[in-house]
Amino acid sequence: MSHHHPTHKKLFSKLGQDRQVSETVRLGLLLALSGGLMDAYSYLFRGEVFANAQTGNILLFSVNLSQGNWGVVKEYGCPVLAFGAGIALAFLIRQHFQRRKIRLHWRQIGVLIEIGVLIFVAFQPQTRNLLANSLTSLACGFQVEAFRKIHGNSIATTMCIGNFRAGLHALGEYWFSRKRSDRNKALTYFIVIAFFALGAVLGSRLIARMGQWAILCSSALLAACFLLMFIQTEEEKRDAL
């Protein structure tokens, strides 16, 4: 029986590699920090537009549209469209690179693009807030599409309402089941929310000190995510040998 184990180990490693690379708690918390920082940056420094919370943008777009505030309409409408473009970008990157034999994972390629986009945003003056907010929303759209799970649970690292609902649901499940898995699931959701909020606080403090350059800290967090994914991928390759 023992001669079958290495084969089984390789099989399970291959099946679990994508999940372990992109769904770890450490990676999710770094992404949530970055997500909170991006939202604080676009709202506090770039004219009170949301980078992540497209519900808020759609609401403000609709209200201003109804009032005929045409100059303001585009400020909220363009980030929504850019967010959608970011989701499409994640899909296209996945389709193009997923089955190619390259050293980098397709999500890492997307994260590198996201880092580059945010660095470009840092160099935009406040007279170009529309461009800056749209590009930040594009980065957020990629992130919400590319990183959708932590340990198999659907979790968003760029917004909170879905996590809040799912966390309360898991807490209710734990109340009746007393299963450790339900408790851990609830804790994961609430910890991700806490790190998103922490990212927003961090963003606020950084904006006060760094102004338009504060978004570079989000790029730094994403660079840490890139390296973490690289380390995890290499570990999986070694385990599969």
Side-chain angles (χ1 to χ4, degrees):
M1 293 293 289
S2 61
H3 65 279
H4 291 299
H5 288 181
T7 304
H8 289 164
K9 184 178 180 181
K10 287 184 180 181
L11 175 63
F12 287 122
S13 177
K14 287 180 181 178
L15 289 173
Q17 182 173 336
D18 189 60
R19 171 175 167 176
Q20 292 192 29
V21 168
S22 64
E23 297 184 17
T24 63
V25 172
R26 284 179 297 173
L27 186 66
L29 295 182
L30 283 174
L31 289 167
L33 268 176
S34 176
L37 198 160
M38 283 189 279
D39 235 0
Y41 179 78
S42 66
Y43 188 83
L44 295 175
F45 189 78
R46 296 289 186 179
E48 299 186 346
V49 176
F50 295 106
N52 291 310
Q54 300 308 320
T55 302
N57 288 339
I58 291 170
L59 170 67
L60 293 167
F61 168 84
S62 302
V63 169
N64 283 284
L65 184 66
S66 69
Q67 295 175 348
N69 299 326
W70 310 115
V72 182
V73 163
K74 67 178 185 296
E75 299 292 332
Y76 294 106
C78 288
V80 174
L81 295 175
F83 188 87
I87 293 172
L89 177 65
F91 180 81
L92 292 173
I93 292 172
R94 181 172 65 242
Q95 291 296 109
H96 187 72
F97 291 105
Q98 191 170 29
R99 302 194 185 282
R100 292 176 182 264
K101 292 184 178 180
I102 57 175
R103 187 172 178 83
L104 296 180
H105 190 279
W106 71 266
R107 287 186 176 89
Q108 288 175 293
I109 295 169
V111 167
L112 285 177
I113 295 172
E114 194 177 352
I115 290 168
V117 166
L118 295 179
I119 290 173
F120 182 76
V121 167
F123 285 88
Q124 304 310 305
Q126 286 187 305
T127 53
R128 295 181 182 171
N129 278 351
L130 177 60
L131 175 63
N133 286 331
S134 296
L135 289 174
T136 306
S137 287
L138 184 141
C140 294
F142 166 81
Q143 188 170 312
V144 78
E145 173 65 16
F147 300 94
R148 294 183 291 180
K149 292 184 178 181
I150 294 178
H151 289 330
N153 300 312
S154 295
I155 291 183
T157 58
T158 60
M159 56 193 74
C160 292
I161 186 63
N163 295 342
F164 188 59
R165 182 211 63 78
L168 288 174
H169 179 85
L171 193 61
E173 293 283 354
Y174 173 66
W175 180 266
F176 289 100
S177 71
R178 295 298 173 183
K179 291 181 180 178
R180 182 179 294 180
S181 60
D182 289 330
R183 182 199 65 187
N184 291 345
K185 185 186 292 187
L187 283 173
T188 301
Y189 281 112
F190 291 126
I191 289 171
V192 168
I193 291 172
F195 268 72
F196 182 90
L198 183 61
V201 172
L202 179 65
S204 176
R205 297 290 178 88
L206 289 170
I207 289 165
R209 295 186 179 188
M210 300 172 63
Q212 73 186 65
W213 308 106
I215 195 65
L216 292 176
C217 295
S218 191
S219 292
L221 288 168
L222 291 170
C225 291
F226 173 86
L227 293 174
L228 184 59
M229 291 172 70
F230 185 79
I231 293 167
Q232 289 168 346
T233 303
E234 291 301 309
E235 287 175 350
E236 283 299 312
K237 287 178 180 177
R238 286 198 300 270
D239 290 343
L241 294 177

